[in-house]
Each structure stands twice: as C-alpha cells, then as structure tokens.
Amino acid sequence: QTTMAAGLKENALSKPIILVILLLATIIFWENYNSVDSSKLESSFSIPLTTYSHALFHQSLFEEDTQQYENNENEEKRRRLKRGGRRQRVNTPQEEDSSEDEQQEPTVLSLTPLSSFPSSSSSSWQGTCASSVPKGNLKVVSDLTKETQHVELITDSHLPQRFKSPPKPVMSNPDKLNPLCNQFAWRFCPNPRRGNEDKNWYSCEARQFVGKIHCAYIDNQHTIPGMVYDNERTYPVHGCHPHQKGFQPQPIKKLVKLDKVAHNLAVYPTGFAHVMAQLPRLIILAQSIPEDVPILLAKSSARDSFVNLLHERGILDKKRIINWDPNTVYYAKTLYYAGEMGRGVGTSGKWDTLKVEYCSWALVMPRERLQRIFIGNYSRGASVSMHDERSVERSGSKGV
C-alpha cells in the first residue's frame, strides 16, 4: 500500500491531467442528453461519486483555497482601518462591508490589452458612454430578453423542462446519500436547508447565454464579485448576486477602464469547487466572443490548471487571461459575461436570471460537453461539437 501511494503521488505530480480527470468524476452531470418532451420527463440523475472520501478530498481543497481568499480580504480590511486611524470590527465573509457605504471619487486607471493578442477581429464600439459613475439605486434586471438599450445576447441556448417531480440521485454507493444529506442538506435531500428556493427548482426550462453590455462595470463585492452593471441597471446572475444590498454594486474606489473585456468571476472566485462550477461559463465565453477580447479571471492554482488544459485542447488561448484585482472595479465600453435564465413555477412563469435560484442554474449546465472535452473524444483526437444534444440554439452565434 505504501508503494502504491508513493506511485500515485509521483504520477499525480508528473501528470496533472490525471487529477483533472479525477476531479471530473465528482461533477454531477446529467445523463441521457436526448431532447425530451413533457411525456418523457425524467425522475433521477446520476452522481458518479465512487467514494465519500473523494467528496471530502475536494471539499478540503475548496475550503483551503476559500479560507486563503477570506484571509486576504480580512487582512486588506485591517490595513484600510489602520490607515484610517480607527478601530472597527472586521466583518465575516457572510457580512457586507458596511465601511464602504460612502461614495467617493474613484481613482481611474487605464489598462492596455495585451500586445500579444491577434489583430482585432471585431470593430470597437463607437457609441457614447456616460462620463459619470453610477449613483443611487439602480434598476435590477431579471429578464435580459426585455432589455434593448446597450444590451445584446450573442449566444442563447434553450433547454426544455426535464423533470416532472423532484429527481432522486442515483449513487454508486447508495449508503452514502443519507450522510451527505445530513451534512449538506442539498435541495434533492429529504430536508433541504433553504425555503422556497428548494421547492420547484427542478420544474423549469432553462437557457444559457452570453451577454454583451455596453458602457458597463464589473462589481468587486469581496465574497460575491462579478455582477455586471451600467449607469442605470444591474444584471445579477446566479453566482454574481450580491443580495445583501439588494443587488446593488459596491462604491467605486479604484477604476480600470478598458475598451472591451469579458469576465468569468463568481462567488468565492478562487475556491476550488467554484472554479470548477464556472468552467461551463468559461468555455462558452471562449467559444462565443471575439478572439481579441481579454478575459478576467481570479488567480488560483485550480484556475491555472484548467486554463492550461483548455489551452492544450485549443479551446482557450491562455494569453487572453488577465488576472483580476479584487480591489478594482473594471469598466469597459463593451463587456461580455455568461449566465443562465430559468422559467417555471418558481419564477411565476417568467424568464429570470436566477439571482435567487428558484430554478436551478445546473439544469442548463453542459455536463456532456465538459465530459467530452476533458475525457472523451478530445483524447482520441476527434473533433467535438460544442453542442449538447438536448440543447436548441436560438441565435446565429458560431462555435457554441
């Protein structure tokens, strides 16, 4: 056993892709991806979790990465308070930073896109943006399809409702389900931890999109960053939903201006599990936006591993990546981001960007696409379509 452990450790160090494959074994992916009608709605899904120890292993990596992120944030707060000559309680990561309520004139910088990018494949937007920064309460947008001014969906993939009743997970070891439910109280467990969010999350149709917003900012809320907003509206999506202040942005202290940029930030942006959860959005961004658009990502070892693998697969040029500064609000004349919408009983029959997850954002996650990219046809050198078989395109965008 000692020899095997040593061999596995050496192999993991020399071949990081094996770790990636192991990680994918923990992703909850949806099976039987054929389009279904209401008479063929499913009642279960599969969790390929071989052992509970795998889950604990990934949980420990996530907690280690997340704790480091929180420690850095709290240390930055202490430095700010020390410079201000006053003592104040440091908020926990679940609390809002109440010390940043007052709007101040931001420090404005300019960031030039990397010179190694290819020559522009998309003309720069020639419209006019407001010269002032947003102030006051902004309108919260829940349905992007109803916004027309400076808003465009360049990719919009629709998936029909799949489940007629709460699906039950099928596990390789059924005896592990109850301990997991007792610990995490997930929404498919007998006693989920949340209220209305866990009632009708499964009875929804869904769509995944890439949005293009002009004259827009990227919020830098310290725990849940990434909400896009402009001078009049905020565009929260699941994972980028600073709910504790009513989906309003943080005051701008430091501002970096760009001509165009995309981002793939979300809650706990360096946390291991959250980097994995954001992979579908990163892939759809890379396949949808022009090649000369840089992409903001939070720096972490997990991110570097996945970006390197996507680079090797020819999906994402890693030279496009810009390291995100959590103390900075980024602004661009043209800003791209990925998100999801759901429509069902929980959303009163209206399309909603799931800032509150009344429909599960996971319903539209392209699990099959991820599987093919990482461990499927790509390893055999075959070309792989970026479509899941059960998705229906509603736009003319290419490569998705």
Side-chain angles (χ1 to χ4, degrees), residues 16 45 54 60 127 131 142 155 158 160 175 186 192 197 249 265 298 312 347 385:
F45 62 94
H54 286 174
S60 67
S131 58
S142 297
T155 295
H158 175 256
D175 294 337
W186 288 319
E197 291 181 60
L265 305 168
E312 293 173 4
T347 66
S385 168

Side-chain angles (χ1 to χ4, degrees), residues 252-380:
I252 301 173
K253 301 294 183 66
K254 177 183 175 184
L255 182 65
V256 165
K257 289 189 173 183
L258 295 158
D259 179 57
K260 49 199 169 188
V261 75
H263 89 81
N264 194 46
L265 305 168
V267 58
Y268 290 130
T270 61
F272 180 85
H274 292 276
V275 173
M276 291 185 65
Q278 285 290 109
L279 274 177
R281 286 181 179 176
L282 179 58
I283 292 169
I284 196 174
L285 271 175
Q287 295 290 321
S288 303
I289 64 178
E291 293 181 355
D292 62 331
V293 178
I295 302 175
L296 275 169
L297 293 177
K299 175 70 174 176
S300 72
S301 57
R303 181 211 77 174
D304 290 344
S305 296
F306 288 124
V307 166
N308 287 337
L309 189 58
L310 293 177
H311 179 83
E312 293 173 4
R313 296 286 196 249
I315 296 171
L316 173 63
D317 185 351
K318 61 183 179 183
K319 292 180 181 179
R320 299 174 66 178
I321 303 304
I322 295 177
N323 288 332
W324 173 65
D325 177 4
N327 298 313
T328 296
V329 170
Y330 292 86
Y331 167 88
K333 292 180 68 175
T334 303
L335 194 154
Y336 301 87
Y337 72 108
E340 300 76 32
M341 287 187 278
R343 181 169 68 180
V345 176
T347 66
S348 300
K350 301 177 181 179
W351 285 112
D352 188 274
T353 54
L354 309 181
K355 60 188 183 296
V356 179
E357 203 187 4
Y358 293 125
C359 289
S360 173
W361 78 310
L363 293 172
V364 77
M365 290 292 100
R367 308 297 184 181
E368 185 182 69
R369 181 191 307 170
L370 274 179
Q371 187 181 32
R372 292 199 305 269
I373 287 173
F374 283 92
I375 60 176
N377 296 14
Y378 266 91
S379 64
R380 297 191 294 272

Side-chain angles (χ1 to χ4, degrees), residues 29-159:
F29 67 92
W30 309 98
E31 294 183 333
N32 302 322
Y33 275 14
N34 295 319
S35 297
V36 296
D37 57 35
S38 58
S39 64
K40 298 180 180 179
L41 297 179
E42 301 174 40
S43 61
S44 67
F45 62 94
S46 174
I47 302 180
L49 187 64
T50 306
T51 63
Y52 184 41
S53 61
H54 286 174
L56 295 180
F57 169 68
H58 301 307
Q59 180 188 351
S60 67
L61 288 177
F62 155 67
E63 291 174 346
E64 178 182 352
D65 222 350
T66 298
Q67 186 61 53
Q68 182 61 47
Y69 176 77
E70 294 171 356
N71 290 343
N72 292 343
E73 288 295 306
N74 286 335
E75 183 60 32
E76 176 61 26
K77 290 181 186 178
R78 293 187 185 95
R79 286 196 294 267
R80 288 201 305 266
L81 295 177
K82 187 175 182 181
R83 287 196 300 266
R86 66 181 186 275
R87 295 181 62 84
Q88 182 173 324
R89 180 176 63 89
V90 176
N91 297 336
T92 64
Q94 289 74 29
E95 296 175 323
E96 202 70 31
D97 189 355
S98 59
S99 65
E100 297 184 356
D101 284 341
E102 297 182 2
Q103 179 76 48
Q104 300 178 1
E105 196 66 24
T107 300
V108 181
L109 304 175
S110 179
L111 180 62
T112 303
L114 303 181
S115 59
S116 57
F117 284 3
S119 59
S120 179
S121 60
S122 62
S123 59
S124 296
W125 186 65
Q126 300 302 316
T128 302
C129 296
S131 58
S132 60
V133 298
K135 294 182 179 179
N137 283 333
L138 308 178
K139 172 188 174 182
V140 179
V141 173
S142 297
D143 184 354
L144 282 172
T145 65
K146 295 183 178 180
E147 301 297 318
T148 57
Q149 184 180 13
H150 292 179
V151 176
E152 180 183 350
L153 298 184
I154 65 170
T155 295
D156 187 10
S157 299
H158 175 256
L159 289 87

Side-chain angles (χ1 to χ4, degrees), residues 187-247:
R187 54 179 31 181
F188 53 76
C189 293
N191 298 299
R193 57 186 172 85
R194 298 181 296 191
N196 288 334
E197 291 181 60
D198 288 330
K199 287 186 177 179
N200 298 294
W201 59 273
Y202 57 89
S203 58
C204 302
E205 53 183 320
R207 58 207 289 184
Q208 186 174 52
F209 66 87
V210 171
K212 180 170 76 171
I213 314 290
H214 293 302
C215 310
Y217 301 78
I218 304 172
D219 185 43
N220 66 336
Q221 205 272 356
H222 63 278
T223 304
I224 313 177
M227 183 181 70
V228 173
Y229 64 99
D230 57 25
N231 274 55
E232 298 179 355
R233 300 158 292 185
T234 70
Y235 306 93
V237 296
H238 179 72
C240 308
H241 55 281
H243 55 86
Q244 291 175 323
K245 284 195 173 181
F247 312 106

